[in-house]
PDB file of all heavy atoms in Angstrom:
ATOM      1  N   LYS A 311      27.074  -5.761   4.715  1.00  0.00           N
ATOM      2  CA  LYS A 311      27.734  -4.936   5.733  1.00  0.00           C
ATOM      3  C   LYS A 311      28.308  -5.803   6.851  1.00  0.00           C
ATOM      4  O   LYS A 311      29.421  -5.536   7.348  1.00  0.00           O
ATOM      5  CB  LYS A 311      26.739  -3.929   6.329  1.00  0.00           C
ATOM      6  CG  LYS A 311      26.066  -3.003   5.335  1.00  0.00           C
ATOM      7  CD  LYS A 311      27.023  -2.141   4.559  1.00  0.00           C
ATOM      8  CE  LYS A 311      26.273  -1.126   3.707  1.00  0.00           C
ATOM      9  NZ  LYS A 311      27.104  -0.484   2.691  1.00  0.00           N
ATOM     10  N   LEU A 312      27.574  -6.831   7.245  1.00  0.00           N
ATOM     11  CA  LEU A 312      28.068  -7.723   8.297  1.00  0.00           C
ATOM     12  C   LEU A 312      29.313  -8.473   7.818  1.00  0.00           C
ATOM     13  O   LEU A 312      30.288  -8.627   8.567  1.00  0.00           O
ATOM     14  CB  LEU A 312      26.979  -8.705   8.722  1.00  0.00           C
ATOM     15  CG  LEU A 312      25.690  -8.108   9.316  1.00  0.00           C
ATOM     16  CD1 LEU A 312      24.725  -9.216   9.690  1.00  0.00           C
ATOM     17  CD2 LEU A 312      25.984  -7.233  10.530  1.00  0.00           C
ATOM     18  N   ASP A 313      29.294  -8.915   6.571  1.00  0.00           N
ATOM     19  CA  ASP A 313      30.446  -9.605   6.004  1.00  0.00           C
ATOM     20  C   ASP A 313      31.663  -8.686   5.923  1.00  0.00           C
ATOM     21  O   ASP A 313      32.807  -9.140   6.031  1.00  0.00           O
ATOM     22  CB  ASP A 313      30.127 -10.142   4.602  1.00  0.00           C
ATOM     23  CG  ASP A 313      29.134 -11.293   4.628  1.00  0.00           C
ATOM     24  OD1 ASP A 313      28.938 -11.887   5.708  1.00  0.00           O
ATOM     25  OD2 ASP A 313      28.544 -11.594   3.566  1.00  0.00           O
ATOM     26  N   ALA A 314      31.405  -7.393   5.728  1.00  0.00           N
ATOM     27  CA  ALA A 314      32.504  -6.422   5.640  1.00  0.00           C
ATOM     28  C   ALA A 314      33.122  -6.128   7.001  1.00  0.00           C
ATOM     29  O   ALA A 314      34.239  -5.616   7.077  1.00  0.00           O
ATOM     30  CB  ALA A 314      32.004  -5.124   5.006  1.00  0.00           C
ATOM     31  N   GLY A 315      32.369  -6.438   8.077  1.00  0.00           N
ATOM     32  CA  GLY A 315      32.923  -6.227   9.413  1.00  0.00           C
ATOM     33  C   GLY A 315      32.037  -5.485  10.387  1.00  0.00           C
ATOM     34  O   GLY A 315      32.423  -5.229  11.529  1.00  0.00           O
ATOM     35  N   ALA A 316      30.827  -5.115   9.954  1.00  0.00           N
ATOM     36  CA  ALA A 316      29.897  -4.424  10.861  1.00  0.00           C
ATOM     37  C   ALA A 316      29.214  -5.419  11.790  1.00  0.00           C
ATOM     38  O   ALA A 316      29.119  -6.614  11.485  1.00  0.00           O
ATOM     39  CB  ALA A 316      28.849  -3.663  10.061  1.00  0.00           C
ATOM     40  N   CYS A 317      28.725  -4.928  12.927  1.00  0.00           N
ATOM     41  CA  CYS A 317      27.966  -5.780  13.845  1.00  0.00           C
ATOM     42  C   CYS A 317      26.496  -5.354  13.906  1.00  0.00           C
ATOM     43  O   CYS A 317      25.639  -6.137  14.302  1.00  0.00           O
ATOM     44  CB  CYS A 317      28.584  -5.758  15.237  1.00  0.00           C
ATOM     45  SG  CYS A 317      28.728  -4.120  15.977  1.00  0.00           S
ATOM     46  N   LEU A 318      26.221  -4.112  13.513  1.00  0.00           N
ATOM     47  CA  LEU A 318      24.868  -3.568  13.484  1.00  0.00           C
ATOM     48  C   LEU A 318      24.740  -2.687  12.245  1.00  0.00           C
ATOM     49  O   LEU A 318      25.745  -2.278  11.664  1.00  0.00           O
ATOM     50  CB  LEU A 318      24.592  -2.724  14.737  1.00  0.00           C
ATOM     51  CG  LEU A 318      24.612  -3.416  16.099  1.00  0.00           C
ATOM     52  CD1 LEU A 318      24.761  -2.382  17.215  1.00  0.00           C
ATOM     53  CD2 LEU A 318      23.340  -4.227  16.312  1.00  0.00           C
ATOM     54  N   VAL A 319      23.502  -2.385  11.864  1.00  0.00           N
ATOM     55  CA  VAL A 319      23.278  -1.476  10.739  1.00  0.00           C
ATOM     56  C   VAL A 319      22.220  -0.446  11.121  1.00  0.00           C
ATOM     57  O   VAL A 319      21.456  -0.643  12.071  1.00  0.00           O
ATOM     58  CB  VAL A 319      22.827  -2.225   9.464  1.00  0.00           C
ATOM     59  CG1 VAL A 319      23.814  -3.321   9.095  1.00  0.00           C
ATOM     60  CG2 VAL A 319      21.422  -2.810   9.624  1.00  0.00           C
ATOM     61  N   GLN A 320      22.197   0.637  10.369  1.00  0.00           N
ATOM     62  CA  GLN A 320      21.146   1.649  10.526  1.00  0.00           C
ATOM     63  C   GLN A 320      20.590   2.010   9.164  1.00  0.00           C
ATOM     64  O   GLN A 320      21.302   1.956   8.159  1.00  0.00           O
ATOM     65  CB  GLN A 320      21.709   2.921  11.178  1.00  0.00           C
ATOM     66  CG  GLN A 320      22.098   2.768  12.632  1.00  0.00           C
ATOM     67  CD  GLN A 320      22.682   4.049  13.199  1.00  0.00           C
ATOM     68  OE1 GLN A 320      23.326   4.819  12.495  1.00  0.00           O
ATOM     69  NE2 GLN A 320      22.470   4.274  14.485  1.00  0.00           N
ATOM     70  N   ILE A 321      19.317   2.360   9.149  1.00  0.00           N
ATOM     71  CA  ILE A 321      18.688   2.828   7.916  1.00  0.00           C
ATOM     72  C   ILE A 321      18.075   4.204   8.143  1.00  0.00           C
ATOM     73  O   ILE A 321      17.811   4.600   9.284  1.00  0.00           O
ATOM     74  CB  ILE A 321      17.606   1.852   7.403  1.00  0.00           C
ATOM     75  CG1 ILE A 321      16.422   1.784   8.387  1.00  0.00           C
ATOM     76  CG2 ILE A 321      18.192   0.469   7.164  1.00  0.00           C
ATOM     77  CD1 ILE A 321      15.222   1.026   7.842  1.00  0.00           C
ATOM     78  N   TYR A 322      17.880   4.926   7.072  1.00  0.00           N
ATOM     79  CA  TYR A 322      17.174   6.199   7.092  1.00  0.00           C
ATOM     80  C   TYR A 322      16.446   6.369   5.756  1.00  0.00           C
ATOM     81  O   TYR A 322      15.225   6.330   5.681  1.00  0.00           O
ATOM     82  CB  TYR A 322      18.149   7.363   7.330  1.00  0.00           C
ATOM     83  CG  TYR A 322      17.504   8.736   7.343  1.00  0.00           C
ATOM     84  CD1 TYR A 322      17.606   9.575   8.440  1.00  0.00           C
ATOM     85  CD2 TYR A 322      16.777   9.210   6.246  1.00  0.00           C
ATOM     86  CE1 TYR A 322      17.018  10.845   8.442  1.00  0.00           C
ATOM     87  CE2 TYR A 322      16.181  10.464   6.246  1.00  0.00           C
ATOM     88  CZ  TYR A 322      16.318  11.276   7.340  1.00  0.00           C
ATOM     89  OH  TYR A 322      15.721  12.518   7.343  1.00  0.00           O
ATOM     90  N   THR A 323      17.233   6.500   4.688  1.00  0.00           N
ATOM     91  CA  THR A 323      16.654   6.765   3.377  1.00  0.00           C
ATOM     92  C   THR A 323      15.720   5.649   2.919  1.00  0.00           C
ATOM     93  O   THR A 323      14.662   5.903   2.326  1.00  0.00           O
ATOM     94  CB  THR A 323      17.771   6.980   2.339  1.00  0.00           C
ATOM     95  OG1 THR A 323      18.650   8.019   2.828  1.00  0.00           O
ATOM     96  CG2 THR A 323      17.207   7.386   0.997  1.00  0.00           C
ATOM     97  N   SER A 324      16.073   4.408   3.208  1.00  0.00           N
ATOM     98  CA  SER A 324      15.214   3.289   2.781  1.00  0.00           C
ATOM     99  C   SER A 324      13.894   3.259   3.543  1.00  0.00           C
ATOM    100  O   SER A 324      12.910   2.701   3.065  1.00  0.00           O
ATOM    101  CB  SER A 324      15.939   1.952   2.930  1.00  0.00           C
ATOM    102  OG  SER A 324      16.228   1.666   4.282  1.00  0.00           O
ATOM    103  N   PHE A 325      13.841   3.855   4.721  1.00  0.00           N
ATOM    104  CA  PHE A 325      12.589   3.964   5.465  1.00  0.00           C
ATOM    105  C   PHE A 325      11.613   4.846   4.691  1.00  0.00           C
ATOM    106  O   PHE A 325      10.404   4.650   4.728  1.00  0.00           O
ATOM    107  CB  PHE A 325      12.866   4.540   6.857  1.00  0.00           C
ATOM    108  CG  PHE A 325      11.738   4.375   7.843  1.00  0.00           C
ATOM    109  CD1 PHE A 325      11.085   3.161   7.994  1.00  0.00           C
ATOM    110  CD2 PHE A 325      11.340   5.435   8.640  1.00  0.00           C
ATOM    111  CE1 PHE A 325      10.048   3.005   8.913  1.00  0.00           C
ATOM    112  CE2 PHE A 325      10.312   5.286   9.558  1.00  0.00           C
ATOM    113  CZ  PHE A 325       9.664   4.072   9.691  1.00  0.00           C
ATOM    114  N   ILE A 326      12.169   5.807   3.957  1.00  0.00           N
ATOM    115  CA  ILE A 326      11.353   6.719   3.154  1.00  0.00           C
ATOM    116  C   ILE A 326      10.967   6.077   1.824  1.00  0.00           C
ATOM    117  O   ILE A 326       9.836   6.205   1.362  1.00  0.00           O
ATOM    118  CB  ILE A 326      12.115   8.042   2.929  1.00  0.00           C
ATOM    119  CG1 ILE A 326      12.267   8.766   4.272  1.00  0.00           C
ATOM    120  CG2 ILE A 326      11.417   8.923   1.904  1.00  0.00           C
ATOM    121  CD1 ILE A 326      13.267   9.880   4.276  1.00  0.00           C
ATOM    122  N   TYR A 327      11.900   5.360   1.206  1.00  0.00           N
ATOM    123  CA  TYR A 327      11.638   4.768  -0.110  1.00  0.00           C
ATOM    124  C   TYR A 327      10.885   3.441  -0.025  1.00  0.00           C
ATOM    125  O   TYR A 327      10.053   3.138  -0.883  1.00  0.00           O
ATOM    126  CB  TYR A 327      12.948   4.585  -0.882  1.00  0.00           C
ATOM    127  CG  TYR A 327      13.413   5.849  -1.567  1.00  0.00           C
ATOM    128  CD1 TYR A 327      14.268   6.734  -0.920  1.00  0.00           C
ATOM    129  CD2 TYR A 327      12.971   6.169  -2.838  1.00  0.00           C
ATOM    130  CE1 TYR A 327      14.680   7.906  -1.541  1.00  0.00           C
ATOM    131  CE2 TYR A 327      13.375   7.338  -3.469  1.00  0.00           C
ATOM    132  CZ  TYR A 327      14.228   8.207  -2.814  1.00  0.00           C
ATOM    133  OH  TYR A 327      14.611   9.375  -3.427  1.00  0.00           O
ATOM    134  N   GLU A 328      11.190   2.638   0.986  1.00  0.00           N
ATOM    135  CA  GLU A 328      10.576   1.311   1.101  1.00  0.00           C
ATOM    136  C   GLU A 328       9.320   1.316   1.976  1.00  0.00           C
ATOM    137  O   GLU A 328       8.460   0.461   1.846  1.00  0.00           O
ATOM    138  CB  GLU A 328      11.582   0.306   1.678  1.00  0.00           C
ATOM    139  CG  GLU A 328      12.809   0.079   0.812  1.00  0.00           C
ATOM    140  CD  GLU A 328      12.473  -0.587  -0.507  1.00  0.00           C
ATOM    141  OE1 GLU A 328      11.576  -1.461  -0.525  1.00  0.00           O
ATOM    142  OE2 GLU A 328      13.089  -0.226  -1.530  1.00  0.00           O
ATOM    143  N   GLY A 329       9.250   2.262   2.912  1.00  0.00           N
ATOM    144  CA  GLY A 329       8.068   2.363   3.746  1.00  0.00           C
ATOM    145  C   GLY A 329       8.208   1.702   5.101  1.00  0.00           C
ATOM    146  O   GLY A 329       9.256   1.138   5.442  1.00  0.00           O
ATOM    147  N   PRO A 330       7.150   1.750   5.908  1.00  0.00           N
ATOM    148  CA  PRO A 330       7.205   1.314   7.307  1.00  0.00           C
ATOM    149  C   PRO A 330       7.431  -0.171   7.521  1.00  0.00           C
ATOM    150  O   PRO A 330       7.748  -0.598   8.623  1.00  0.00           O
ATOM    151  CB  PRO A 330       5.845   1.738   7.861  1.00  0.00           C
ATOM    152  CG  PRO A 330       4.956   1.872   6.667  1.00  0.00           C
ATOM    153  CD  PRO A 330       5.838   2.320   5.554  1.00  0.00           C
ATOM    154  N   ALA A 331       7.286  -0.984   6.471  1.00  0.00           N
ATOM    155  CA  ALA A 331       7.481  -2.436   6.630  1.00  0.00           C
ATOM    156  C   ALA A 331       8.918  -2.865   6.363  1.00  0.00           C
ATOM    157  O   ALA A 331       9.233  -4.050   6.426  1.00  0.00           O
ATOM    158  CB  ALA A 331       6.548  -3.194   5.700  1.00  0.00           C
TER     159      ALA A 331
END
Side-chain angles (χ1 to χ4, degrees):
K311 303 300 187 194
L312 299 180
D313 291 343
C317 57
L318 297 162
V319 305
Q320 291 178 328
I321 66 170
Y322 179 122
T323 306
S324 64
F325 195 47
I326 293 165
Y327 278 91
E328 297 294 323

